Amino acid sequence: MARPLSSRPQLSDEVAAHLREAIMSGTLRPGQFVRLDAVAADLGVSVTPVREALLALRGEDMVELEPRRGFVVSPLSRQDVKDMFDLQADLAARLVGRAATLIGDQQLDHVQQIADELARAEGHHELSTLEYEFHRLVNKAAASRKLARFLDMASRYTPARVYTGDPEWRVRVVADHAAIVAALRARDANAAREAVFRHVKDGEWRLLRHLDAVGMWTSPTG
């Protein structure tokens, strides 16, 4: 059994994040029913936050509610995944291009510090936290709150464990961050956009490779 989640007001948000990760990583497949009791037992929570999480995911078109049968994972195609990453790449490129002209030296030093910490990091939680913080700082420097918010919402569908468990990604992300920081230090908006675009599209390729390997596009067996 997984470690029980914390009993905080946002518990249903944590459950929703867990289920998004399961769906986007192929642990839960399109057409597969999500059993409330099983999820609650696995996470060490009551059924209530699981139901709340599934209702939230229904609003995101991640699951559907079938009368008298329960929640089922919504259809998800390769094109859907590519569309998600196209959106992320476009938003991230816009933000980093703006950040290149606005970011201050202290902000850049902080971004570099996070990049250095990630290069030394080990373990899923540390890696995923530092990767998120790196991009959060860059996006904050763009001074475009609404655009950054839209990117944050789009990025929530990226299953972090697919990446943090990939040794190749751990090497690639260090190089990608170095390229982004170098472009920002040079105040080169075009280079920054290109570096971020490559970074996001690499994430798309790695996720599709993973989903192909786990047979995501076949019918669920249970």
Side-chain angles (χ1 to χ4, degrees), residues 118-119 121-124 127 160-176 202 205-206 209-210:
L118 188 145
E122 296 182 5
H124 164 72
L127 285 164
R161 288 186 185 275
V162 170
Y163 303 103
T164 60
D166 180 353
E168 293 178 358
W169 175 85
R170 294 182 63 175
V171 174
R172 177 63 183 264
V173 74
V174 173
D176 285 352
D202 177 73
W205 175 77
R206 291 181 190 280
R209 181 183 65 171
H210 166 81

Side-chain angles (χ1 to χ4, degrees), residues 117-118 120-131:
E117 290 179 12
L118 188 145
R120 299 188 298 268
E122 296 182 5
H124 164 72
H125 180 73
E126 187 178 13
L127 285 164
S128 60
T129 298
L130 290 168
E131 166 70 353

Side-chain angles (χ1 to χ4, degrees), residues 95-107:
L95 284 162
V96 78
R98 295 178 186 180
T101 64
L102 296 172
I103 195 166
D105 291 340
Q106 284 189 322
Q107 289 174 300

